[in-house]
Amino acid sequence: MAAANGSSDLYSELEVDAFRSLFPLRYHEQHLLKSVRPDARKLGSARDTTVALGAVASADGSALVKIGSTTMLAAIKLEVMTPTVECPDEGSIAIEFYMPPICSPLVRPGRPAEAASVISQQLSDTILSSGMIDLKELCLVGGKAAWMAYLDIYCLDADGALFDAALLSAVAAFSHLNIPVVSLNDDGRIVLVSDDNVLLKLEKEPVNTEKRKLKLNSPPFSLTCILHKNYILADPTAEEESIMETVVTVVLDSSYQLVSLYKPGGPVLAHTSVIQDCVALARLRLKELQNILNEAISDMEID
């Protein structure tokens, strides 16, 4: 009898898997009628999220972020540059987002993923327009030297809500960023003051006397939602994104002010009431992400 029950359960599981593969939308809609999703989440709930700072030892700032299975590795490298004539007292930030073939079976070797360039531009626009970083903080010597911060984000697993995870990894990496000590040498060039020569007598005072953190002003966080009929699903998986095509991404700063709203088409019209519901979910998510990031920072300081 036990063997018969086991065979029956296995057969039922195979039937469910086959139905899900053949009719994915109907499969998900059956769950939506019960206000639950296949992974047992409520419609407005996000997946478990973790942030680990200092994931790349050779970087000046880095973070590893996971939202469900979606995984991002962000690393920042600082280099000295000559400021532009238009902004002689400001540094600069360059952001690149990469989707290597390991992140998804949809990404082919030798072919850059279309989503990568879109997310790169979206990240640059969001970080710069939010005012999170005062570029004047990256200035070393007005008109002569400033920091160029290269932020590279690698998607290691693309299981939905890529922009949310990428933005969180960017904010976390900048939170971890240590700006090194530098000095002017005899030729007037900026040089790093390493631990080996920090005790040596320098002919000129260091430009900055100690390593420092970059001050972040009201960092932005985002929440992506899927709109399907009368339903709103927060933090969608890749499967949900592939079968329910209307996506809305809400970006809020830490003061709960709207930074941007992104809706790249889709068959469902985003009425004012729907947008308000998405913003309300984003506000709840923002508080969660702030707490997660603050815990990661606290753990780093203890270590």
Side-chain angles (χ1 to χ4, degrees):
M1 183 66 72
N5 288 336
S7 298
S8 177
D9 291 343
L10 178 60
Y11 183 70
S12 298
E13 288 179 14
L14 291 173
E15 279 189 325
V16 171
D17 290 340
F19 181 74
R20 183 173 188 169
S21 299
L22 293 172
F23 308 104
L25 184 56
R26 285 175 58 188
Y27 174 80
H28 280 265
E29 286 179 337
Q30 286 184 353
H31 285 79
L32 294 180
L33 290 173
K34 302 174 185 177
S35 297
V36 71
R37 294 151 83 169
D39 59 6
R41 279 188 292 156
K42 295 180 180 178
L43 303 191
S45 298
R47 293 168 289 177
D48 290 341
T49 303
T50 60
V51 175
L53 302 180
V56 182
S58 59
D60 295 302
S62 62
L64 180 69
V65 165
K66 294 192 71 173
I67 299 179
S69 294
T70 299
T71 307
M72 299 288 168
L73 178 65
I76 301 172
K77 200 69 179 174
L78 294 175
E79 289 188 6
V80 177
M81 62 166 236
T82 302
T84 62
V85 176
E86 295 80 8
C87 303
D89 58 347
E90 293 183 359
S92 188
I93 299 171
I95 300 172
E96 288 291 341
F97 179 77
Y98 301 94
M99 293 183 68
I102 61 168
C103 77
S104 168
L106 300 178
V107 180
R108 300 292 183 183
R111 295 182 182 179
E114 292 182 10
S117 59
V118 175
I119 294 176
S120 285
Q121 188 60 52
Q122 200 177 351
L123 286 168
S124 296
D125 293 343
T126 299
I127 290 174
L128 294 176
S129 65
S130 70
M132 176 180 78
I133 297 173
D134 182 0
L135 295 179
K136 292 185 178 180
E137 287 235 347
L138 297 175
C139 180
L140 289 169
V141 180
K144 293 183 178 181
W147 289 116
M148 164 66 86
Y150 292 97
L151 169 61
D152 292 322
I153 302 175
Y154 293 87
C155 179
L156 304 182
D157 193 335
D159 189 28
L162 302 188
F163 176 77
D164 298 349
L167 180 60
L168 178 58
S169 71
V171 172
F174 276 115
S175 299
H176 177 251
L177 178 64
N178 282 303
I179 298 179
V181 180
V182 294
S183 178
L184 288 169
N185 65 9
D186 295 338
D187 299 326
R189 298 191 179 203
I190 294 289
V191 294
L192 289 176
V193 178
S194 65
D195 294 336
D196 295 332
N197 62 15
V198 72
L199 297 177
L200 297 178
K201 184 178 179 181
L202 298 171
E203 301 225 350
K204 299 189 179 182
E205 285 293 318
V207 176
N208 52 327
T209 56
E210 59 183 15
K211 286 186 178 181
R212 64 182 177 89
K213 294 287 187 181
L214 186 64
K215 181 182 178 182
L216 302 184
N217 303 307
S218 198
F221 300 92
S222 66
L223 176 68
T224 295
C225 298
I226 286 280
L227 308 183
H228 181 68
K229 296 182 177 179
N230 296 322
Y231 301 103
I232 300 175
L233 288 73
D235 182 29
T237 63
E239 183 182 17
E240 289 170 336
E241 289 181 344
S242 69
I243 60 177
M244 294 177 274
E245 298 174 348
T246 303
V247 178
V248 173
T249 299
V250 179
V251 182
L252 303 175
D253 65 20
S254 297
S255 302
Y256 297 94
Q257 298 300 307
L258 183 65
V259 175
S260 65
L261 181 72
Y262 185 67
K263 180 181 180 293
V268 179
L269 295 176
H271 298 290
T272 303
S273 60
V274 174
I275 295 299
Q276 289 174 340
D277 290 341
C278 291
V279 172
L281 288 172
R283 287 173 179 267
L284 295 175
R285 179 61 170 160
L286 186 152
K287 192 160 188 177
E288 290 178 7
L289 295 177
Q290 283 180 319
N291 291 336
I292 291 169
L293 180 57
N294 288 337
E295 285 180 13
I297 294 172
S298 297
D299 291 344
M300 194 72 186
E301 290 173 350
I302 291 173
D303 294 340

